[in-house]
Amino acid sequence: EDQVTQSPEALRLQEGESSSLNCSYTVSGLRGLFWYRQDPGKGPEFLFTLYSAGEEKEKERLKATLTKKESFLHITAPKPEDSATYLCAVQTGTASKLTFGTGTRLQVTL
Amino acid sequence: EPEVTQTPSHQVTQMGQEVILRCVPISNHLYFYWYRQILGQKVEFLVSFYNNEISEKSEIFDDQFSVERPDGSNFTLKIRSTKLEDSAMYFCASNRGAGELFFGEGSRLTVL
């Protein structure tokens, strides 16, 4: 069974204080690893897809990286509007569904 | 920008009643999904649907649940004989098969 574990569960940063979120996975036949952002009471919003170890993707203050066992979401100089829950998900084998981790709840304060 | 739309945004029902949650997936997408998120818990896969039939379902998706694509645009989730533990956010999603899923804003179901 595919396992996706995210850490930390919650993270509080001051504005401008960079950090990283971790997503470790144990799966058979990874096809893709996905990062989503979820605001309270809303649906997950797609951020990045990573397909192979060594791959990196960037968008504004966010950068996602992938190794054979884990992925990191680096947040550089975060702002309060980056506060959200960040979800990691995997797509494996021939299935099209995504399997999600429990998420990291990020709060960025002034 | 195309988006997945869901109705209703919030439904309150009595235990034992049947509910139908509706979704309009993105028009050129071929795969449709329902996910559930109980308050404070992770987003859980329920079912995927392709070519007018279920392609995969989880252990959660038992005989209480059914899905249907009644016409060319709608995709529905029916929950029969609702229980208190069915209270959750239900998300519809769609994609072309490989790659990212696009999610709707969700339907909050409250069972009293």
Side-chain angles (χ1 to χ4, degrees):
Chain A
E1 185 180 326
D2 298 337
Q3 297 271 0
V4 181
T5 304
Q6 292 189 245
S7 61
E9 285 188 17
L11 181 62
R12 185 176 172 134
L13 300 173
Q14 287 197 317
E15 185 175 14
E17 180 186 2
S18 302
S19 188
S20 296
L21 282 53
N22 177 264
C23 171
S24 62
Y25 59 91
T26 306
V27 302
S28 299
L30 181 73
R31 285 173 53 201
L33 185 140
F34 301 79
W35 283 98
Y36 283 82
R37 170 190 170 128
Q38 187 178 30
D39 292 304
K42 303 290 187 183
E45 177 187 343
F46 171 71
L47 293 173
F48 302 110
T49 309
L50 301 165
Y51 291 106
S52 56
E55 190 175 359
E56 297 183 355
K57 293 265 180 81
E58 262 186 273
K59 180 180 178 180
E60 296 181 354
R61 295 177 292 281
L62 301 177
K63 183 167 89 172
T65 61
L66 181 66
T67 72
K68 288 186 179 179
K69 293 183 180 180
E70 58 192 348
S71 177
F72 291 93
L73 184 66
H74 307 278
I75 303 177
T76 302
K79 298 182 177 182
E81 53 261 42
D82 295 322
S83 297
T85 296
Y86 290 85
L87 305 174
C88 171
V90 296
Q91 194 174 59
T92 62
T94 57
S96 59
K97 71 174 187 185
L98 298 184
T99 300
F100 282 86
T102 50
T104 293
R105 192 170 62 254
L106 174 67
Q107 184 181 13
V108 182
T109 60
L110 292 171
Chain B
E1 184 176 321
E3 59 182 21
V4 176
T5 58
Q6 291 186 240
T7 55
S9 57
H10 188 193
Q11 179 148 3
V12 181
T13 190
Q14 295 292 323
M15 194 166 51
Q17 295 297 303
E18 175 182 287
V19 298
I20 297 176
L21 306 179
R22 292 181 169 80
C23 169
V24 179
I26 294 173
S27 61
N28 62 351
H29 286 182
L30 302 175
Y31 287 77
F32 315 122
Y33 309 82
W34 284 101
Y35 280 78
R36 178 181 82 175
Q37 187 175 33
I38 295 170
L39 187 64
Q41 297 187 24
K42 69 177 181 179
V43 178
E44 300 177 289
F45 170 73
L46 292 178
V47 65
S48 59
F49 191 86
Y50 170 72
N51 200 25
N52 282 319
E53 60 183 26
I54 291 173
S55 53
E56 190 174 357
K57 61 183 181 179
S58 71
E59 291 178 353
I60 303 168
F61 193 89
D62 58 20
D63 291 344
Q64 187 192 2
F65 295 89
S66 61
V67 289
E68 191 178 31
R69 187 150 164 85
D71 53 45
S73 57
N74 290 283
F75 179 52
T76 63
L77 174 68
K78 182 187 290 186
I79 309 174
R80 288 179 281 274
S81 190
T82 49
K83 299 174 280 193
L84 295 176
E85 53 265 39
D86 294 327
S87 295
M89 282 288 281
Y90 289 82
F91 294 108
C92 176
S94 68
N95 71 350
R96 295 192 184 96
E100 65 271 21
L101 272 61
F102 294 86
F103 286 83
E105 290 293 274
S107 292
R108 180 178 300 282
L109 177 63
T110 301
V111 182
L112 302 177

